[in-house]
Amino acid sequence: AQSVTQLGSHVSVSEGALVLLRCNYSSSVPPYLFWYVQYPNQGLQLLLKYTSAATLVKGINGFEAEFKKSETSFHLTKPSAHMSDAAEYFCAVSEEFQEYGNKLVFGAGTILRVKS
Amino acid sequence: EAGVAQSPRYKIIEKRQSVAFWCNPISGHATLYWYQQILGQGPKLLIQFQNNGVVDDSQLPKDRFSAERLKGVDSTLKIQPAKLEDSAVYLCASSSLRSPETQYFGPGTRLLVL
């Protein structure tokens, strides 16, 4: 079964600084990898997804992530943090491809704090 | 396009009581998921439906949890009787057959069991 590890339950950056949120998956290559964002008292919003088309994936709000098979990683980055980026971020992998939908396995989440 | 709707948004009950949550997926989405998100953890899949059939309920505590998706649209998740450890956010998500890998989440129902 797939597993996901997010290093750092809390990350704090200054406004304008680089954002780096780390995600590692278990050794077998999953068909899909995702980053979701969750604002307080809201559901999860999809930031970006990896579907094997390209290793560097661009998402919404200026975020991007790079799939590195050799490192079993899918870290999320943003060149310049904005106050509105403060939220909780979840990395997720799909268990296996199924034509009608895939079970997602989530990491424990990383809370991003942006300081002014 | 309307998103995934859930109600109620908040619920407080005593232990051993019963509770039900409702979900209306995005129109046309064949697959519906219920996740449990305990504070400080990522969401965990409880049950997955395709249309009105169960695809995966391996992590559903069947002695107290039940779910149904009559007519393949709306879904209800029930807990009876509730325990303290059921306090969590219950998230509903849906996906389409055209893009089955992408799940869209509702706002969730926050349950507190006292």
Side-chain angles (χ1 to χ4, degrees), chain B residues 30-75:
Chain B
T31 310
L32 184 147
Y33 314 78
W34 283 102
Y35 288 86
Q36 180 192 56
Q37 185 179 16
I38 293 173
L39 187 64
Q41 300 180 20
K44 182 186 79 173
L45 181 70
L46 292 175
I47 190 167
Q48 176 183 347
F49 291 95
Q50 188 205 359
N51 296 315
N52 59 352
V54 176
V55 173
D56 184 349
D57 64 356
S58 57
Q59 298 192 83
L60 186 75
K62 298 180 185 64
D63 58 334
R64 298 184 300 107
F65 285 65
S66 64
E68 60 182 11
R69 192 184 183 198
L70 300 176
K71 302 180 182 179
V73 182
D74 294 6
S75 178

Side-chain angles (χ1 to χ4, degrees), chain A residues 13 17-18 20 28 30 49 59 62 70 74 107 109 113:
Chain A
V13 301
L18 171 72
L20 171 60
S28 59
K49 64 181 178 183
S70 60
F74 189 58
R113 179 187 170 212

Side-chain angles (χ1 to χ4, degrees), chain A residues 34 36 41 49 100 102-103, chain B residues 9 31 59 101-103 106:
Chain A
F34 305 84
Y36 281 87
N41 298 317
K49 64 181 178 183
Y100 40 77
N102 306 299
K103 172 185 176 180
Chain B
R9 291 296 311 277
T31 310
Q59 298 192 83
E101 76 285 352
T102 303
Q103 296 180 26

Side-chain angles (χ1 to χ4, degrees), chain A residues 51-69:
Chain A
T51 59
S52 76
T55 56
L56 183 62
V57 182
K58 294 187 183 300
I60 62 172
N61 302 338
F63 284 93
E64 61 182 36
E66 186 172 9
F67 172 69
K68 291 186 176 180
K69 183 178 178 180

